Every structure is written in structure tokens, then in C-alpha cells.
Amino acid sequence: VEIDCLVEAVDGSLHIIEIKGGATINTDYLKHIKKFTLQEFDLHKYLFYTGKDSIAIGDVKIVGWNDISDNLSSIIDKV
């Protein structure tokens, strides 16, 4: 499974980030991130894309371009 970015936090959690250039959420964007599992980590899954809306689909947090900075800052603060 190909993932764009993996960030391990000091608390042992793993932040998985997929980055897409499309402005419309496409369920195909989620295929790799949904397949990604590691039993030994508490996983936090994100999809960053160029659209405006930020929502959650299942266990994946979909993050629009205008919210990427805030979400990335909160991930980096945990490293």
C-alpha cells in the first residue's frame, strides 16, 4: 500500500497522510489509506486535498486546503 506521508508521534501514535490535488472528494482517494493498518500503532488517518470542505468519512479525516495548516501544525506539535 502506497501512502504519501507517515508521522510517528512521541506518544506512539502514527499519523497517516494522503495528499491529493483534486478539488472534489473522490472515494477512490481513500482506497490506499483505508487499506493501511498496523496493529501496534494508534492510527490517525488524514486526506489532504485542494477542495474547501473538511469532513470525516469513517476513520479518515478529510481536510480541505484552508484547514491543512491547522491540522498539520497539530500533528507536528505531537512529534
Side-chain angles (χ1 to χ4, degrees), residues 50-62:
T50 59
K52 294 187 284 183
D53 298 324
S54 294
I55 61 168
I57 297 178
D59 64 344
V60 181
K61 187 171 183 180
I62 312 294

Side-chain angles (χ1 to χ4, degrees), residues 24-31 33-34 44-47 49 53-63:
T24 304
I25 298 169
N26 181 330
T27 55
D28 193 49
Y29 290 171
L30 302 170
K31 70 180 179 182
I33 202 165
K34 283 188 170 267
H44 301 271
K45 299 177 180 182
Y46 302 86
L47 172 72
Y49 79 117
D53 298 324
S54 294
I55 61 168
I57 297 178
D59 64 344
V60 181
K61 187 171 183 180
I62 312 294
V63 181

Side-chain angles (χ1 to χ4, degrees), residues 17-43:
I17 303 169
E18 274 285 279
I19 303 167
K20 300 297 182 185
T24 304
I25 298 169
N26 181 330
T27 55
D28 193 49
Y29 290 171
L30 302 170
K31 70 180 179 182
H32 291 286
I33 202 165
K34 283 188 170 267
K35 288 181 186 176
F36 192 91
T37 59
L38 286 174
Q39 300 301 330
E40 61 270 20
F41 287 99
D42 176 23
L43 299 179

